[in-house]
Amino acid sequence: MASHIVGYPRMGPKRELKFALESFWDGKTSAEDLQKVAADLRSSIWKQMASAGIKYIPSNTFSCYDQVLDTTAMLGAVPPRYGWNGGEIGFDTYFSMARGNASVPAMEMTKWFDTNYHFIVPELGPDVKFSYASHKAVNEYKEAKALGIDTVPVLVGPVSYLLLSKPAKGVEKSFSLLSLLGDILPVYKEVVAELKAAGASWIQFDEPTLVMDLDSHKLQAFSHAYSELESSLSGLSVLIETYFADVPAEAYKTLTALKGVTGFGFDLIRGSKTLDLIKGGFPSGKYLFAGVVDGRNIWANDLADSLTILKGLEGIVGKDKLVVSTSCSLLHTAVDLVNETKLDQEIKSWLAFAAQKVVEVNALAKALAGHKDEVFFSANAAAQTSRKSSPRVNNEAVQKAAAALKGSDHRRATNVSARLDAQQKKLNLPILPTTTIGSFPQTMDLRRVRREYKAKKISEDDYVKAIKEEILKVVKLQEELDIDVLVHGEPERNDMVEYFGEQLSGFAFSANGWVQSYGSRCVKPPIIYGDVSRPKAMTVFWSSMAQSMTARPMKGMLTGPVTILNWSFVRNDQPRSETCYQIALAIKDEVEDLEKAGINVIQIDEAALREGLPLRKSEQAFYLDWAVHSFRITNCGVLDTTQIHTHMCYSNFNDIIHSIIDMDADVITIENSRSDEKLLSVFREGVKYGAGIGPGVYDIHSPRIPSTEEIADRINKMLAVLETNILWVNPDCGLKTRKYTEVKPALSNMVAAAKLLRTQLASTK
């Protein structure tokens, strides 16, 4: 009965790791305290899998920040600015790379493929001296072994590691990262030798870049790397794991011909086309790790359906060579359904979090081996049936309204430059207008007020009064700082998606369904289980209250349909585009109600537009088409004088800039400061952009406070490629995770920089 889990969430069922990390970073606890929490979490995960009957249990998928950063540490590839002088890498150097420190900025962080997880991007070049500098993989293997559990150590594969890296500052952009393969393989060999000596019998290399569109030069790197490792790996069984999409035919050929490899793992949920390749030929005597349990969603597996697929595969690869697995690491799903005591029972019966998925994997493996748990399977079948037919899932009026959208393009009546003129007459803003992205710091007091209101410990009147005071404080602060376009600070919101989902029908919420986004930051995605509609206005009350406190423009603050979609666990019984159009119609109602209430600037955040982009070029145009269309649906009905803003974060925009222009927003603010102005290069290369644009002038993900000069210097770099009359000045992202002691001086310096440049521009005129 062969069962395997690709990887498991690290945060703990109640976010134990998050709290331990933050307490350590704040200097309240010691490194030993943090290590103890981490070790306890690891042992409970391993024991849980062992007791569920899993045969191939992963180790080294746990991390105190990120698995790619762990690999950078393993390879000793520490950028020189962190002042590391060799030896085993400790928390000091490790967390400086992840988060920056008082004197140097953090390494860049970017999306892990098309998930909402972020990894720390390695910075490499011809001068990096690689050395074996973190023994984490071996230590964790031994730690599990001491508990009597033999695990499969997991390493980020050498080729994917290089393909996910970037040339360090000062290194030619054209530098071939793959040219470093010969330099990193000796370190991998040392790690493998130590794992072998410690008693490992299997080792897993994650090579997810194999699902990308790779040219033959890149594919050859895989052949070269594993031939080079072959002698070191002899005596070990080797699994190469891929995930997040199907493996292209060429890559499949390369992968299945790799030297010294024993088994291959495939995502059969998002990569159903791989099934055809396997049917067309699978190397004899090799293991197939079949990823039939979805690692990226929270729906219970359709066990009968999976069993049919597995039986078909058994005929191809042989009974003893088929291993039941998850489609990818369970890092991307919630931890344990057991902690959901308030969730509606019917909806709960449709779900499976990571702990339940481990059980599903094992149940399928047992069924294949002829020990089918009939009770478990029939309960599963009943839940599948109830979900298909439930009236809570289906709303005919919504389905009709969404179907009716197909015929139109939903564009605003006039072009953007005419609209900007009309808006400027109404808003009367200076050049280089300043604004922030939306949220202000969420203090402990504020969180307590929301918690008490939710628990019915304080009355609605007391709650409204407390939130009103907070909004007033934020408005006054912005006026004192002399910011041009204000925000209300979002004190009433827990999360930019959850806040809306709680007010829309078709959404359900977990209490502990947290998923790691980056470092200690977790998100709790809503669950979209049915047709979506908006019963009543969601934000008008607070936005009009805030506007009444100031004569300056107050931005209405909404989350866009594509972001709500991409940051939720989405129903898997209809195309994602259908669900997105339904959400767009709900947001459209809200935009029009805000406009009626006298809000002249409305921001519709599409932070996650880029995130949903399919990994393969061939599927991208279709996605961008319906995603951008959904955004336009939300605001196609407003007046020319209503200014529509949108905000996007952490992305590589250059490849989708034309879609961004096609969104036709009046102003777009973009998270930019951590990615070394890569974003601006697209404008340097001659893309014409006529709408307002505010590339972030400082990084809010770090506690560092930038000086006025530094911000002015950034704005000048932007002015070199963007017209003065369209440039906005703003931070990178919302400020809710920062402290007021950081926010006040940073915003003060930002406004000072904008004023300095206005003066300079006026005098050069």
Side-chain angles (χ1 to χ4, degrees):
M1 279 173 350
S3 50
H4 166 247
I5 305 294
V6 177
Y8 201 80
R10 311 146 178 167
M11 279 296 137
K14 300 272 175 78
R15 291 184 294 164
E16 290 84 349
L17 182 62
K18 171 195 174 70
F19 300 120
L21 282 167
E22 289 170 3
S23 163
F24 173 68
W25 293 335
D26 287 344
K28 291 175 188 158
T29 47
S30 68
E32 291 72 41
D33 296 329
L34 173 54
Q35 270 149 352
K36 169 131 185 27
V37 171
D40 289 348
L41 282 168
R42 286 193 294 269
S43 81
S44 73
I45 292 166
W46 292 325
K47 286 174 179 164
Q48 178 191 336
M49 290 195 212
S51 65
I54 300 296
K55 179 173 179 184
Y56 300 105
I57 296 172
S59 59
N60 200 41
T61 60
F62 183 89
S63 175
C64 280
Y65 207 94
D66 163 53
Q67 71 273 12
V68 181
L69 183 61
D70 293 345
T71 312
T72 296
M74 178 183 92
L75 295 168
V78 180
R81 65 177 177 278
Y82 299 106
W84 172 68
N85 299 316
E88 184 80 2
I89 288 173
F91 280 156
D92 268 4
T93 303
Y94 182 83
F95 288 131
S96 291
M97 292 193 284
R99 309 175 65 237
N101 59 38
S103 49
V104 291
M107 292 168 74
E108 185 192 346
M109 174 161 81
T110 196
K111 293 284 171 207
W112 178 243
F113 296 84
D114 58 349
T115 69
N116 186 27
Y117 176 78
H118 303 71
F119 72 98
I120 301 288
V121 184
E123 301 172 11
L124 305 177
D127 304 334
V128 179
K129 297 278 175 279
F130 295 98
S131 66
Y132 186 14
S134 164
H135 292 62
K136 175 179 179 294
V138 179
N139 295 342
E140 290 186 13
Y141 173 78
K142 289 177 175 166
E143 196 180 301
K145 201 160 187 190
L147 297 167
I149 299 170
D150 188 31
T151 58
V152 178
V154 179
L155 300 174
V156 174
V159 185
S160 291
Y161 177 77
L162 293 175
L163 291 175
L164 293 165
S165 303
K166 67 170 190 177
K169 247 200 180 115
V171 174
E172 285 297 316
K173 289 276 174 268
S174 59
F175 173 71
S176 161
L177 293 157
L178 287 176
S179 67
L180 298 171
L181 200 52
D183 300 328
I184 69 171
L185 288 175
V187 180
Y188 274 90
K189 288 177 183 173
E190 283 186 72
V191 180
V192 168
E194 279 199 6
L195 285 167
K196 219 192 284 191
S201 53
W202 275 83
I203 184 166
Q204 172 179 326
F205 290 101
D206 281 9
E207 293 281 13
T209 51
L210 279 164
V211 306
M212 307 295 282
D213 298 304
L214 300 179
D215 57 34
S216 57
H217 164 67
K218 287 177 179 157
L219 288 175
Q220 274 159 9
F222 287 94
S223 309
H224 170 66
Y226 288 93
S227 299
E228 181 65 29
L229 288 171
E230 189 181 6
S231 57
S232 310
L233 292 167
S234 73
L236 280 172
S237 295
V238 177
L239 164 63
I240 306 272
E241 185 61 61
T242 66
Y243 36 77
F244 300 149
D246 51 87
V247 175
E250 263 325 284
Y252 180 81
K253 246 187 247 161
T254 303
L255 171 62
T256 49
L258 290 178
K259 297 272 194 316
V261 175
T262 323
F264 308 96
F266 299 107
D267 179 337
L268 300 180
I269 300 286
R270 284 177 180 240
S272 48
K273 289 186 198 138
T274 306
L275 279 170
D276 299 332
L277 294 173
I278 295 167
K279 285 170 189 158
F282 188 78
S284 74
K286 302 288 187 187
Y287 286 82
L288 171 61
F289 286 70
V292 291
V293 171
D294 193 347
R296 287 182 60 173
N297 220 322
I298 42 61
W299 303 109
N301 188 274
D302 185 335
L303 296 176
D305 191 41
S306 296
L307 196 54
T308 307
I309 292 170
L310 290 164
K311 285 193 166 143
L313 291 169
E314 208 172 47
I316 299 161
V317 304
K319 210 175 181 57
D320 57 335
K321 292 289 186 269
L322 182 63
V323 182
V324 182
S325 183
T326 54
S327 65
C328 61
S329 171
L330 299 176
L331 178 67
H332 310 289
T333 189
V335 182
D336 196 344
L337 202 50
V338 128
N339 299 314
E340 300 306 324
T341 49
K342 299 212 171 72
L343 207 56
D344 174 277
Q345 280 307 314
E346 184 185 25
I347 293 174
K348 196 170 171 178
S349 74
W350 304 338
L351 308 179
F353 289 1
Q356 288 67 44
K357 289 173 187 290
V358 168
V359 173
E360 289 180 336
V361 166
N362 197 58
L364 286 164
K366 274 167 64 179
L368 268 184
H371 307 291
K372 186 173 174 189
D373 180 339
E374 293 296 350
V375 177
F376 189 72
F377 268 73
S378 62
N380 173 270
Q384 298 293 328
T385 308
S386 103
R387 191 178 150 207
K388 283 190 185 84
S389 56
S390 171
R392 326 165 64 148
V393 171
N394 304 298
N395 177 338
E396 209 178 320
V398 172
Q399 290 168 9
K400 278 192 177 137
L405 294 169
K406 304 274 190 306
S408 159
D409 209 16
H410 301 92
R411 290 183 186 276
R412 288 174 76 178
T414 23
N415 72 15
V416 70
S417 54
R419 298 195 312 257
L420 287 171
D421 289 344
Q423 290 155 14
Q424 179 54 15
K425 286 195 183 89
K426 187 161 195 171
L427 299 171
N428 200 12
L429 299 168
I431 57 163
L432 306 181
T434 53
T435 189
T436 62
I437 302 304
S439 59
F440 265 66
Q442 300 234 334
T443 58
M444 298 299 267
D445 286 348
L446 185 56
R447 291 201 164 106
R448 196 193 64 244
V449 165
R450 278 208 313 265
R451 211 168 38 241
E452 288 180 350
Y453 176 55
K454 211 167 187 173
K456 303 197 166 42
K457 286 183 184 158
I458 58 172
S459 70
E460 184 165 14
D461 287 352
D462 287 345
Y463 171 71
V464 169
K465 194 168 143 238
I467 297 291
K468 186 175 180 175
E469 273 166 25
E470 185 70 23
I471 293 174
L472 190 58
K473 188 176 90 182
V474 168
V475 169
K476 288 273 176 284
L477 172 63
Q478 291 171 95
E479 290 187 331
E480 278 160 31
L481 291 165
D482 204 15
I483 290 172
D484 301 303
V485 175
L486 309 193
V487 297
H488 76 290
E490 305 176 23
E492 79 288 9
R493 303 186 190 183
N494 42 5
D495 171 90
M496 62 185 281
V497 173
E498 187 168 311
Y499 180 75
F500 290 95
E502 283 173 342
Q503 303 184 71
L504 293 167
S505 55
F507 281 76
F509 293 86
S510 64
N512 290 290
W514 297 97
V515 181
Q516 185 180 11
S517 171
Y518 63 87
S520 69
R521 178 134 168 80
C522 300
V523 292
K524 189 154 64 71
I527 297 163
I528 305 178
Y529 65 84
D531 291 328
V532 177
S533 60
R534 183 197 77 144
K536 58 180 199 303
M538 302 182 282
T539 65
V540 176
F541 174 77
W542 299 114
S543 285
S544 352
M545 175 193 286
Q547 181 64 81
S548 71
M549 295 172 179
T550 180
R552 301 182 185 213
M554 172 62 63
K555 283 197 278 198
M557 247 333 128
L558 305 174
T559 302
V562 188
T563 297
I564 291 178
L565 183 88
N566 284 339
W567 283 354
S568 296
F569 286 124
V570 182
R571 55 192 289 194
N572 55 359
D573 57 351
Q574 69 176 17
R576 289 172 75 88
S577 52
E578 291 298 311
T579 306
C580 198
Y581 285 139
Q582 293 181 0
I583 304 168
L585 287 171
I587 300 295
K588 178 180 198 280
D589 290 345
E590 188 70 14
V591 168
E592 289 167 10
D593 281 350
L594 280 168
E595 186 184 59
K596 280 186 203 120
I599 305 293
N600 296 315
V601 182
I602 301 170
Q603 181 171 311
I604 307 165
D605 281 350
E606 282 296 11
L609 180 93
R610 174 73 175 59
E611 210 167 287
L613 195 65
L615 296 172
R616 299 279 269 292
K617 295 271 188 297
S618 57
E619 295 159 26
Q620 292 176 354
F622 175 66
Y623 165 77
L624 288 167
D625 190 54
W626 61 254
V628 168
H629 188 187
S630 297
F631 177 82
R632 287 201 310 264
I633 287 167
T634 64
N635 62 82
C636 61
V638 301
L639 302 166
D640 282 0
T641 50
T642 298
Q643 190 166 75
I644 299 292
H645 287 226
T646 188
H647 172 69
M648 301 189 156
C649 19
Y650 266 92
S651 288
N652 199 347
F653 283 96
N654 302 13
D655 49 356
I656 62 160
I657 189 72
H658 295 289
S659 296
I660 291 172
I661 293 171
D662 201 37
M663 288 167 76
D664 198 27
D666 297 308
V667 178
I668 177 168
T669 51
I670 294 189
E671 189 283 327
N672 167 59
S673 70
R674 244 194 190 198
S675 52
D676 267 353
E677 330 285 317
K678 264 193 303 217
L679 170 77
L680 293 179
S681 64
V682 78
F683 300 109
R684 259 180 232 120
E685 286 149 19
V687 169
K688 285 281 163 269
Y689 191 74
I693 183 165
V697 295
Y698 82 90
D699 175 15
I700 66 94
H701 297 90
S702 159
R704 236 182 110 249
I705 295 158
S707 65
T708 301
E709 295 68 36
E710 187 184 326
I711 296 176
D713 180 49
R714 272 221 154 98
I715 300 171
N716 267 321
K717 277 191 189 143
M718 295 170 189
L719 286 170
V721 289
L722 292 163
E723 296 296 325
T724 316
N725 62 340
I726 63 169
L727 190 65
W728 283 65
V729 176
N730 46 265
D732 245 349
C733 265
L735 305 169
K736 88 173 190 188
T737 59
R738 299 266 59 92
K739 300 180 168 77
Y740 272 106
T741 50
E742 298 157 347
V743 165
K744 284 178 185 169
L747 289 180
S748 174
N749 293 350
M750 181 187 88
V751 173
K755 289 180 172 173
L756 179 71
L757 285 167
R758 284 174 200 160
T759 314
Q760 288 173 5
L761 288 165
S763 63
T764 54
K765 269 196 181 145

